[in-house]
Amino acid sequence: MGELLIRLAYGIMIVGAILCFVFSRNHQRDLRKAANEFALAFVRLSNFVSPKPPSQKLKVRTLPDGGIEALPLEEQPEPIRRMIQRAGEPTAVELFAQADAAADLVSRRANFNRTQRAQFQEPIDQLLLLTQTFLRGCEDLRTINTAERLAAFESYLYEQPKHRMVLIKRITGDLAGEYRKLNKRYAAEMERIEAEEARARRGQADKEKKAKAEKPEKKGEEARQKAKEETALQQTDPAKPVPDEQSAPEQPAKSAAEDWHGWGCG
């Protein structure tokens, strides 16, 4: 009877492990599907508002207090004015609403898993905030009143390959074809970024491999050096025992005040 109970317990454990694995895979797939929706909305919105990076940047002036101020729309370059006009059209509004809803879905599906929040929710939330800052700037140029907001506005326009590479790592494989078509204009730059990341990964792997190979050799050299020092000490004074770290006299205990060195105490 006892053996039967043990087998039954093992069977339950195996079934539980299988169910956990299946649930985890399904949850990951659902999370990536939500990321699909955000990626499509993000890319389509960018392609609609700015099919290619404007040839001229947003004009701003520096204020006496060190802040910045975007020039009025009528003083902006023609490429910027056309882009701002498209950003206010119903298509752009609808695509941003889709991106916002998809980001909310990603957040809800990753809510209870710290790793998934870091992998999916946080980068997607950052891209949503970047898009929101850009669209608000297009709606009212007076909101571009800090260096950070200007940087976000320009990043949305001129760093699309980097942002789209963030998303390509989070979508499902079956979306790759459609996503590639939406990124035709930035394909060469995205391939360059991917190649650089691959080289960096190989370099890091080689560095770690070299460090692991050198570690045993370093330990062996340290042991040989210590043995030489002990031998030399014994030859100098054979009657003198080799110092033992464990037999060293105890040092008088220091007070907490003597150990404290923070907040300008030396």
Side-chain angles (χ1 to χ4, degrees):
M1 184 65 179
E3 184 178 349
L4 179 61
L5 290 176
I6 292 174
R7 290 181 179 179
L8 181 61
Y10 274 115
I12 292 173
M13 289 172 61
I14 293 171
V15 171
I18 293 173
L19 290 176
C20 286
F21 175 75
V22 172
F23 175 79
S24 178
R25 285 192 60 183
N26 290 342
H27 184 70
Q28 182 85 353
R29 182 191 61 198
D30 291 341
L31 189 53
R32 287 188 178 277
K33 284 184 177 180
N36 286 354
E37 297 303 317
F38 179 86
L40 290 175
F42 179 87
V43 170
R44 286 169 178 163
L45 175 59
S46 172
N47 289 353
F48 176 78
V49 173
S50 180
K52 62 179 180 179
S55 57
Q56 295 172 274
K57 291 188 175 183
L58 183 75
K59 287 188 176 182
V60 300
R61 57 172 162 253
T62 304
L63 301 177
D65 62 359
I68 64 169
E69 180 182 58
L71 299 185
L73 182 61
E74 58 271 15
E75 298 181 36
Q76 293 294 337
E78 177 61 24
I80 295 295
R81 292 204 303 271
R82 289 198 306 267
M83 179 204 66
I84 289 176
Q85 181 181 3
R86 287 194 296 270
E89 293 184 10
T91 300
V93 175
E94 181 181 352
L95 287 170
F96 178 75
Q98 293 175 11
D100 185 42
D104 181 64
L105 183 58
V106 169
S107 177
R108 284 188 279 113
R109 289 184 175 176
N111 188 41
F112 300 105
N113 188 299
R114 181 181 300 177
T115 301
Q116 291 177 349
R117 287 202 304 271
Q119 185 180 359
F120 290 89
Q121 180 182 344
E122 291 175 10
I124 285 177
D125 281 350
Q126 290 171 5
L127 290 178
L128 182 69
L129 179 59
L130 182 81
T131 307
Q132 186 180 53
T133 302
F134 169 77
L135 291 176
R136 282 182 175 173
C138 291
E139 184 180 21
D140 184 357
L141 287 172
R142 291 174 296 181
T143 64
I144 308 298
N145 53 11
T146 66
E148 292 77 15
R149 289 179 178 177
L150 176 61
F153 189 94
E154 293 184 342
S155 178
Y156 184 86
L157 291 174
Y158 300 104
E159 295 183 329
Q160 278 293 319
K162 181 181 74 173
H163 303 320
R164 297 179 187 212
M165 285 301 297
V166 169
L167 293 172
I168 201 172
K169 299 172 185 177
R170 288 155 177 85
I171 61 177
T172 58
D174 57 2
L175 189 69
E178 182 177 359
Y179 194 71
R180 190 179 300 111
K181 290 179 182 177
L182 291 170
N183 291 305
K184 278 184 178 180
R185 181 171 295 277
Y186 300 103
E189 180 66 12
M190 292 173 71
E191 289 173 1
R192 184 190 65 78
I193 293 173
E194 187 176 20
E196 287 181 354
E197 291 178 348
R199 284 196 296 270
R201 287 194 298 270
R202 287 196 298 269
Q204 182 63 26
D206 292 343
K207 186 177 179 181
E208 292 176 355
K209 185 177 180 180
K210 184 178 179 181
K212 288 181 180 179
E214 291 176 348
K215 194 173 181 181
E217 181 179 345
K218 186 176 180 181
K219 284 185 176 180
E221 180 61 30
E222 290 175 351
R224 288 191 293 272
Q225 183 63 28
K226 186 175 181 180
K228 287 180 181 179
E229 292 174 357
E230 292 175 352
T231 301
L233 182 60
Q234 289 177 334
Q235 290 175 349
T236 303
D237 187 0
K240 185 177 180 180
V242 178
D244 187 353
E245 293 180 359
Q246 295 181 353
S247 63
E250 294 184 359
Q251 297 295 327
K254 293 184 179 180
S255 67
E258 290 176 323
D259 285 336
W260 176 248
H261 299 289
W263 293 325
C265 293

